[in-house]
Amino acid sequence: MKKLASLLLAVLVLVFCLPVAGMAEEQSFSYIEKSWDEQKSTVVTTDATATATPVTASMATWGTANSTTPQWYAVTESLTLTVRPEVLGDVHLILCDGCVLNAPQGITLEKGNSLTVHAQSDDASEMGEINAAGTNGNAAIG
């Protein structure tokens, strides 16, 4: 009986103490916020920071269904998605400078959900980018 309890305890320690594959740690990222100043009829640029989850190639969903709390993600390296991710709720995506997000199967964004994309730079030669393609009658992003 003691051997069985010891084995069970060892398994539980392994299960709960090892990092979970695909679970990225949140980090702090800077980005540029743009808004419209109606009184001055001009675009206002503000530097901002957000805590975001780095995007991984196999991340199937961005956000939380029926949530109005913004969910933040960041593209921290150039990568190609292996799935067509679904945007759920209010999602903000930071494209880190120089990073390319390739979405060969596109990105699902249905009615009632939103995707706001933020850059880290105003310089087009430094900005990150998204390359999305529509497949099987789906829009590239939609």
Side-chain angles (χ1 to χ4, degrees):
M1 190 65 164
K2 282 186 176 182
K3 285 184 180 183
L4 179 61
S6 296
L7 180 63
L8 181 59
L9 181 60
V11 169
L12 288 173
V13 167
L14 284 174
V15 168
F16 290 106
C17 292
L18 290 177
V20 178
M23 292 283 291
E25 237 180 82
E26 288 187 334
Q27 301 170 24
S28 182
F29 296 93
S30 62
Y31 68 96
I32 297 172
E33 182 76 44
K34 300 241 180 209
S35 59
W36 180 252
D37 184 329
E38 293 223 13
Q39 292 179 338
K40 295 180 182 176
S41 295
T42 187
V43 174
V44 177
T45 301
T46 308
D47 292 328
T49 304
T51 301
T53 302
V55 172
T56 63
S58 61
M59 195 175 279
T61 58
W62 299 345
T64 305
N66 304 316
S67 175
T68 56
T69 302
Q71 303 289 308
W72 288 83
Y73 294 86
V75 178
T76 60
E77 62 182 341
S78 294
L79 61 91
T80 299
L81 299 177
T82 58
V83 296
R84 181 181 173 99
E86 182 176 10
V87 174
L88 299 173
D90 181 13
V91 172
H92 291 256
L93 181 68
I94 300 170
L95 292 176
C96 293
D97 285 346
C99 296
V100 178
L101 176 64
N102 293 302
Q105 300 172 52
I107 299 169
T108 299
L109 176 61
E110 295 182 348
K111 184 178 179 180
N113 301 298
S114 66
L115 175 63
T116 304
V117 180
H118 302 275
Q120 288 187 314
S121 172
D122 274 332
D123 185 342
S125 68
E126 294 179 11
M127 284 183 189
E129 63 182 79
I130 298 176
N131 297 317
T135 58
N136 301 323
N138 293 317
I141 301 176

